[in-house]
Amino acid sequence: MTELATHTQIDLAHYYLQKTLLSSVYDVAKVTPLSSLNKLSARLGCQVFLKREDMQPVHSFKLRGAYNRISQLTSAERECGVVTASAGNHAQGVAMSASALGLSAIIVMPETTPEIKVDAVRRLGGEVVLHGQAFDQASAYAQELSKTEGRVYIAPFDDEAVIAGQGTVAQEMLQQQRDIEMVFVPVGGGGLIAGIAAFYKAVMPQVKIIGVEPEDSACLKAALDAGERVVLPQVGLFADGVAVKQIGAEPFKVARQYVDGMITVTSDEICAAVKDIFEDTRAIAEPAGALALAGLKKYMGTQGKGEKVAAILSGANVNFHSLRYVSERCELGEKKEAILAVKVPERPGIFLRFCELLEKRVMTEFNYRFSSRDKAVVFAGIRLSGGQVELDEIIARLENDGFEVQDLSHDETAKLHVRYMVGGHPPEELAERLFSFEFPEHPGALFKFLTTLQSKWNISLFHYRNHGAAYGRVLAGFEVPESDYAGFQQFLTELGFVYQEETQSPAYKLFLDNRG
């Protein structure tokens, strides 16, 4: 093997440049296109390019790092085989790489992993072991197998060879388009952005590298703000490919030197980016795969200046049934739809007046149920063509005519649950508290969740809707007298599910609560 210089002999960027140039990823990986997004470019007023890592054999960039790491194993290590833990793209990358090199590979996946992902790993030659309800348990078991069976653990991101393999993405981009000014990179554990940032800064340091994270999974931003790696208390699960609580140690070392900026985006903005990719390329990205483009759009729309910019489409292993959620939310993410709660006087003809004030705009949703002789509350979805400016004009026009208006476009409870539950005021006042829960989605999961919830507190409200994701989302109300709240809080802690109180949600107070 070619002898490499050490960290102390050259700077970190050039160290990784060497390792990337000597990577052997193309035994299995392919050079992917850098496509121009013409429709989006026209909208943003700059040339937007998309690096199509969805076109890899496993539909993800993860194959590059996995193969580069496994290909460097010694003969003795190859005899023992490899092991890793993953519920997503890294699992497929390891399985395919090991199969190509004739190695045995065990992939530990949580028991909650969707069957489509388990089958994909098996088809690629990996031996799947299902263990635990979450990734942390699967990872711990994989580490245990590494010790007891002597297998080499293949880390998903916190490894020099993995980082160098991911750096070949930047190597190709530089050869494909040399005058790109900014590159937007999705961030989970940090392997991809570390590889890309190090390569560009060694060769073209003037190119800005911008990391993109979901607002609810921003582990690199948190680490950069703190000056050290931190562990997030919990992470959002919509973009599950980047749902990482702590940035990798080696990726953080690289990122803190070479990443020029960070931007966070909402789930709705990610959905809008999925739609943008489809409209320009007819490719369907997974949420984590569209993350970088969502960040590019937000950055260029608020603070960015540049003529040629690029984003990494990191993967396309999407659960088909989750596209229903993407379709529902992308219009909100593009500011092409707004959700309003409008209080109107309860009298004949008032709904006609409401529609007249909207001036023939398209209504995407209109929900109403009689609840009072004095006032009614309408839950309305409205199609927009002029973004926030147009929405402000609509609200002003309604308010000038005596309507009370509240914008619920950013209220997660409204978008995820209440829009499907409008008209549910209880017939009497309740000492009710509202909570949202996340639980692993697998056959029988809802039944298990309800069984677990059995307690001395009455469930007064319940809403669940399957979104085809790895985790289910439930909205539940409980009758909890103030004197019982300490005990109820202890019950929630012992329950073990990720939860958040939603009692103060404006949508809940308007449509589901009767306490005013």
Side-chain angles (χ1 to χ4, degrees):
M1 182 178 291
T2 305
E3 193 69 28
L4 289 175
T6 65
H7 281 204
T8 56
Q9 291 171 319
I10 54 176
D11 67 64
L12 194 57
H14 284 86
Y15 173 77
Y16 273 108
L17 174 63
Q18 280 190 342
K19 291 178 74 70
T20 297
L21 291 174
L22 293 170
S23 295
S24 56
V25 302
Y26 298 108
D27 293 346
V28 290
K30 60 183 285 187
V31 175
T32 56
L34 185 65
S35 304
S36 176
L37 301 185
N38 296 327
K39 292 180 181 178
L40 185 59
S41 296
R43 275 168 45 201
L44 296 181
C46 61
Q47 188 67 51
V48 179
F49 295 94
L50 191 67
K51 183 60 170 165
R52 296 289 305 277
E53 285 300 286
D54 60 305
M55 297 180 72
Q56 291 293 353
V58 296
H59 308 294
S60 162
F61 76 95
K62 287 286 191 178
L63 178 62
R64 297 174 184 264
Y67 186 84
N68 193 46
R69 174 69 180 93
I70 294 172
S71 68
Q72 295 178 24
L73 296 178
T74 65
S75 298
E77 288 173 329
R78 293 188 182 204
E79 285 292 324
C80 295
V82 298
V83 63
T84 195
S86 171
N89 295 334
H90 178 63
Q92 295 182 53
V94 170
M96 183 176 185
S97 299
S99 181
L101 293 166
L103 280 66
S104 164
I106 292 179
I107 316 296
V108 184
M109 309 180 84
E111 294 172 3
T112 56
T113 304
E115 194 67 27
I116 186 173
K117 294 184 177 181
V118 175
D119 289 344
V121 172
R122 286 176 174 152
R123 281 197 305 271
L124 291 167
E127 178 188 342
V128 175
V129 173
L130 298 177
H131 182 86
Q133 293 295 305
F135 173 76
D136 290 346
Q137 295 166 308
S139 180
Y141 187 64
Q143 299 277 7
E144 182 182 328
L145 286 177
S146 174
K147 294 175 183 177
T148 58
E149 298 191 10
R151 292 175 177 268
V152 178
Y153 181 78
I154 307 300
F157 48 79
D158 205 354
D159 181 280
E160 289 187 4
V162 171
I163 292 171
Q166 319 303 25
T168 58
V169 173
Q171 180 183 354
E172 292 173 15
M173 292 177 69
L174 194 60
Q175 294 166 345
Q176 292 164 327
Q177 191 74 37
R178 295 188 179 182
D179 53 356
I180 286 174
E181 300 163 57
M182 285 188 283
V183 179
F184 292 80
V185 186
V187 179
L192 180 62
I193 196 168
I196 288 177
F199 193 93
Y200 265 107
K201 294 307 179 181
V203 181
M204 293 185 69
Q206 72 273 23
V207 176
K208 286 189 175 181
I209 306 299
I210 309 296
V212 187
E213 296 178 300
E215 287 184 352
D216 53 9
S217 303
C219 66
L220 178 54
K221 183 179 185 300
L224 292 172
D225 290 345
E228 61 181 359
R229 296 164 68 223
V230 297
V231 179
L232 301 179
Q234 63 186 61
V235 292
L237 298 165
F238 174 58
D240 58 349
V242 291
V244 178
K245 289 186 176 182
Q246 184 179 42
I247 197 74
E250 186 65 17
F252 181 58
K253 185 195 301 182
V254 178
R256 70 190 308 180
Q257 288 194 48
Y258 303 125
V259 171
D260 296 291
M262 297 295 300
I263 189 165
T264 60
V265 294
T266 65
S267 294
D268 290 351
E269 289 166 336
I270 294 172
C271 291
V274 172
K275 181 184 177 186
D276 287 319
I277 291 170
F278 175 78
E279 290 188 340
D280 252 308
T281 69
R282 291 300 183 262
I284 300 176
E286 62 184 274
L291 178 62
L293 188 65
L296 182 154
K297 288 172 58 186
K298 189 171 187 176
Y299 187 95
M300 300 307 293
T302 57
Q303 56 186 295
K305 293 182 179 179
E307 294 182 0
K308 294 186 178 181
V309 295
I312 314 298
L313 197 178
S314 57
N317 288 305
V318 62
N319 184 337
F320 182 80
H321 298 293
S322 67
L323 294 177
R324 176 175 61 178
Y325 177 87
V326 173
S327 177
E328 289 174 353
R329 301 292 286 264
C330 65
E331 298 286 287
L332 289 161
E334 290 180 313
K335 304 294 188 290
K336 291 183 178 179
E337 184 188 26
I339 293 176
L340 301 179
V342 185
K343 287 186 179 181
V344 301
E346 185 64 87
R347 65 170 185 266
I350 196 63
F351 289 151
L352 176 60
R353 179 57 183 160
F354 174 75
C355 292
E356 288 173 349
L357 291 170
L358 293 180
E359 297 182 337
K360 297 184 178 179
R361 285 182 174 85
V362 174
M363 298 282 292
T364 60
E365 192 158 354
F366 190 93
N367 292 306
Y368 158 76
R369 185 176 185 277
F370 176 84
S371 59
S372 165
R373 293 293 177 188
D374 300 321
K375 283 191 175 182
V377 182
V378 171
F379 187 102
I382 301 171
R383 180 70 50 79
L384 303 174
S385 57
Q388 189 64 44
V389 173
E390 182 184 7
L391 178 58
D392 291 342
E393 291 173 354
I394 292 171
I395 293 174
R397 186 179 298 114
L398 290 169
E399 289 179 338
N400 289 338
D401 208 68
F403 295 94
E404 297 178 38
V405 184
Q406 192 157 353
D407 183 8
L408 299 180
S409 303
H410 304 288
D411 187 316
E412 197 64 22
T413 305
K415 294 183 290 186
L416 196 61
H417 296 287
V418 174
R419 70 188 306 172
Y420 306 108
M421 301 173 65
V422 170
H425 287 285
E428 60 186 72
E429 186 172 324
L430 302 176
E432 185 176 62
R433 288 183 181 267
L434 192 70
F435 294 84
S436 59
F437 295 91
E438 295 175 356
F439 65 95
E441 185 70 273
H442 56 80
L446 183 59
F447 176 78
K448 182 178 180 181
F449 179 82
L450 287 167
T451 303
T452 307
L453 278 182
Q454 288 183 1
S455 69
K456 67 177 183 179
W457 292 281
N458 182 51
I459 297 176
S460 53
L461 175 153
F462 196 89
H463 178 254
Y464 161 77
R465 190 166 183 255
N466 185 293
H467 290 100
Y471 279 74
R473 302 290 294 272
V474 161
L475 187 72
F478 299 85
E479 288 189 77
V480 186
E482 195 65 36
S483 59
D484 281 358
Y485 189 63
F488 182 74
Q489 197 68 47
Q490 183 178 352
F491 157 72
L492 288 175
T493 302
E494 293 173 353
L495 195 60
F497 292 106
V498 175
Y499 73 89
Q500 182 172 319
E501 184 161 9
E502 308 286 359
T503 309
Q504 299 306 315
S505 162
Y508 166 68
K509 288 183 173 297
L510 285 166
F511 294 103
L512 302 173
D513 191 15
N514 68 355
R515 288 171 288 187

